[in-house]
Amino acid sequence: MRMTVCPLFSGSSGNSIYYACGGVRLLVDAGMSAARITAELAQIGVDVEELDAILVTHEHVDHVRGLGVLCRKYGIPVYANEGTWNGILQKENGIPLRCMHTFYTGEDFFIGGVNVRPFAIPHDAMEPVGFTLSCKSMRCGVATDIGHIAPSWMEAVAGCQALVLEANHDVEMVERGPYPLRLRRRILGRSGHLCNEDCAKALLQLAQTGTQAVFLSHLSADNNLPELAYNTVCGALAQAGMTVGEDIRVMVSRRDRVSDLLVMDDGAAQ
Ligand SMILES: [Zn+2]
Ligand SMILES: [Zn+2]
C-alpha cells in the first residue's frame, strides 16, 4: 500500500494538501485559486479532474478560496460539516448542490477505500476540524489552525505515520512584531494558531505513537521563518534522543508552491 502526501500551499495566503492512497485522490482544503491549485497539481503529475473529493477543515478564506470554481468547472464533490457549510455559504453561493456533501464531526465516513475521520480542533471558526485519512494500515493526519495542544486532536492523530502539523509562529516574534494588539491576542490565544514550541512538544509525544514524517505547516509570513520552525522542532526532537532524518523525517511546507512529495510504503501489496 502506497500513501502520497504533498502540501500544495500552506499559510495564511492559502492552504491545500494533496493526498492519495489506494487509488483515491483527495484535496484537504482549496485555499488558493482553482488555476493555481490546478497548476501545482500538474507539477506533481496529477490532473485536477482525477480528484475524487475535496475535504474542508473550516470556512476561513485561506482554506476555501478556490472551492467555488473547482466545483463549478470540474464537479468535484466537496465534504464539510454543517457549521462549515453555513460559513462557506454566507460568502459563496455558487456551489452546485450536487457537489455538496455533509459529514458529522467525530463520525467516520469513506471515500472509496479511504476512511476519513473528522475531529474537532480549537480554532475561531464555525465548526473547525482536522482529519485523519486511513487506507489499510497507512494513516495521515492533518491538524493546522489549532489554537493549543488539546486531547481532541492529539488523540485523533496519534498513530499516524504522516502528519501535516501546524507550526504557525514564534511567540517572541509575535510579541515584538508589528501586529495590532487585538490580532496578536488572537494568534496567541487558545483558539488561534499553534506556536513552534507547542508543535515541538506535540510532535515529541506523537513520535512515540509511530509518526515517521511530518510537514511543519501554516507558517506565518510575518511571525516565523522556515529555519526557525525547523530548528525549534528538530532541536526538541534531538534533545529527546531522536535522530532527525532516521527516526523521523521533518519537512517544512512552502507557502506558495508544492512542498516535498512524501511517499510512504507499508510493504504490502496494493
Ligand atoms: Zn488557516
Ligand atoms: Zn483559520
Side-chain angles (χ1 to χ4, degrees):
M1 187 60 59
R2 175 165 292 173
M3 174 171 76
T4 305
V5 184
C6 183
L8 306 177
F9 303 98
S10 189
S12 54
S13 47
N15 295 274
S16 190
I17 301 157
Y18 173 71
Y19 162 93
C21 200
V24 174
R25 297 177 180 87
L26 306 174
L27 285 187
V28 174
D29 291 329
M32 276 284 185
S33 72
R36 295 206 57 197
I37 287 173
T38 304
E40 293 308 303
L41 279 173
Q43 292 285 327
I44 53 168
V46 178
D47 184 337
V48 67
E49 298 196 52
E50 295 173 334
L51 291 175
D52 294 293
I54 301 171
L55 310 174
V56 184
T57 59
H58 64 296
E59 72 279 9
H60 288 163
V61 67
D62 57 316
H63 297 262
V64 301
R65 189 176 280 114
L67 209 54
V69 174
L70 286 173
C71 290
R72 289 192 292 276
K73 208 164 166 188
Y74 305 108
I76 304 167
V78 179
Y79 292 77
N81 59 28
E82 203 180 331
T84 298
W85 273 127
N86 287 336
I88 291 170
L89 296 174
Q90 281 175 15
K91 294 168 218 149
E92 159 80 75
N93 52 17
I95 296 184
L97 261 180
R98 68 189 156 88
C99 294
M100 292 174 60
H101 300 265
T102 304
F103 61 71
Y104 297 93
T105 304
E107 279 186 26
D108 291 17
F109 60 98
F110 277 88
I111 295 174
V114 174
N115 178 286
V116 181
R117 174 169 298 175
F119 54 87
I121 54 169
H123 189 57
D124 51 4
M126 300 283 250
E127 196 184 343
V129 295
F131 295 106
T132 57
L133 308 168
S134 312
C135 188
K136 299 266 173 68
S137 66
M138 303 298 282
R139 191 137 65 99
C140 171
V142 177
T144 68
D145 301 73
I146 37 179
H148 62 278
I149 296 178
S152 65
W153 65 263
M154 283 292 282
E155 281 163 18
V157 300
C160 288
Q161 293 98 337
L163 275 183
V164 178
L165 186 61
E166 176 162 50
N168 180 262
H169 57 270
D170 175 75
V171 173
E172 248 180 67
M173 282 179 80
V174 177
E175 282 169 350
R176 290 183 188 168
Y179 285 10
L181 186 63
R182 211 170 57 102
L183 192 51
R184 291 210 299 267
R185 282 206 182 121
R186 186 212 156 213
I187 294 167
L188 297 174
R190 285 176 68 78
S191 299
H193 291 278
L194 200 71
C195 66
N196 293 342
E197 290 77 6
D198 284 350
C199 174
K201 243 185 249 171
L203 194 57
L204 271 180
Q205 286 184 44
L206 294 168
Q208 309 305 318
T209 71
T211 298
Q212 297 162 21
V214 62
F215 285 100
L216 308 181
S217 299
H218 212 302
L219 268 68
S220 164
D222 301 313
N223 298 308
N224 210 351
L225 295 164
E227 314 80 64
L228 185 56
Y230 183 85
N231 291 338
T232 303
V233 168
C234 292
L237 292 170
Q239 222 170 28
M242 297 186 72
T243 307
V244 175
E246 275 179 36
D247 298 322
I248 187 162
R249 195 171 155 197
V250 180
M251 295 157 284
V252 181
S253 296
R254 298 189 182 106
R255 299 180 64 74
D256 55 353
R257 63 194 166 98
V258 282
S259 300
D260 293 345
L261 186 74
L262 174 70
V263 181
M264 294 179 94
D265 232 309
D266 67 353
Q270 303 261 337

